[in-house]
């Protein structure tokens, strides 16, 4: 007895019910808002430093922070604050801090000739301990 199972390539047969497909489409369209917002995150840098040669670690840490900020805030333009850069390089090129607490601020671009409408500013938030910290939305004043 042969049972028909549509493959993933079969476009004419819906794989999911209509309500689920519409909910997913609404969710995707809702994420595209680029309103100014500020949040605090903790990045676990140590897991990104595995298999990275010593002389490239601090530079890789800066790149990881940039990629994280761009992914979370949905912006291409990411500006890293000098205090954060100094913190990442504080122990030298080899010994990058294991974790870093950062404040991501999505802001409107005031530049007329900028290709993006918004950019992300990444700042360092000094903390005593990383225990129990979660992502927090910071109120702008």
């Amino acid at each position: 007895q042969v049972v028909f199972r549509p493959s993933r390539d079969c476009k004419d047969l819906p794989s999911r019910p209509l309500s689920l497909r519409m909910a997913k489409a609404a969710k995707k369209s809702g994420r595209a808002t680029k309103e100014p917002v500020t949040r605090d995150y903790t990045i676990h840098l140590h897991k990104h430093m595995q298999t990275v040669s010593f002389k490239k670690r601090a530079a890789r840490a800066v790149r990881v922070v940039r990629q994280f900020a761009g992914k979370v805030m949905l912006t291409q333009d990411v500006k890293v604050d000098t205090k954060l850069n100094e913190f990442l390089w504080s122990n030298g090129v080899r010994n990058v801090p294991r974790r870093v607490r950062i404040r991501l601020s999505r802001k409107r671009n005031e530049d007329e000739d900028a290709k993006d409408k918004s950019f992300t500013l990444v700042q360092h938030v000094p903390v005593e301990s990383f225990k129990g910290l979660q992502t927090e939305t910071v109120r702008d004043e």
Side-chain angles (χ1 to χ4, degrees):
Q1 190 176 23
V2 177
V3 177
F4 176 71
R5 291 192 180 109
S7 66
R8 293 185 191 269
D9 303 324
C10 195
K11 299 288 184 203
D12 55 344
L13 293 173
S15 59
R16 281 183 258 109
L18 182 63
S19 61
L20 287 177
R21 284 184 282 150
M22 289 178 67
K24 191 166 187 176
K27 186 177 175 184
K28 278 188 179 176
S29 65
R31 280 185 68 197
T33 60
K34 301 261 182 135
E35 291 298 316
V37 67
T38 302
R39 292 192 206 105
D40 285 354
Y41 290 92
T42 301
I43 300 181
H44 187 84
L45 292 172
H46 187 69
K47 68 180 179 183
H48 296 287
M49 293 301 112
Q50 306 292 323
T51 71
V52 178
S53 63
F54 278 153
K55 295 298 180 180
K56 298 180 181 179
R57 283 182 176 221
R60 174 72 64 92
V62 175
R63 200 174 324 135
V64 164
V65 168
R66 279 182 176 274
Q67 288 172 350
F68 178 81
K71 186 174 95 172
V72 169
M73 288 294 186
L74 303 172
T75 59
Q76 297 289 324
D77 191 9
V78 177
K79 298 178 181 178
V80 177
D81 190 39
T82 54
K83 300 279 187 201
L84 174 61
N85 194 42
E86 286 174 10
F87 176 75
L88 293 176
W89 284 85
S90 63
N91 299 339
V93 70
R94 292 169 53 155
N95 303 313
V96 175
R98 289 192 173 220
R99 287 180 176 81
V100 62
R101 186 78 171 168
I102 59 172
R103 177 164 292 153
L104 300 181
S105 304
R106 187 192 303 130
K107 299 185 177 190
R108 286 198 175 89
N109 224 338
E110 302 297 330
D111 231 1
E112 294 297 325
D113 56 339
K115 60 180 180 179
D116 295 327
K117 294 179 189 172
S118 58
F119 69 95
T120 302
L121 177 65
V122 188
Q123 298 171 308
H124 178 235
V125 179
V127 291
E128 293 286 322
S129 172
F130 293 100
K131 305 270 190 213
L133 289 178
Q134 292 184 341
T135 299
E136 298 174 358
T137 303
V138 179
R139 296 200 183 275
D140 290 330
E141 266 105 61

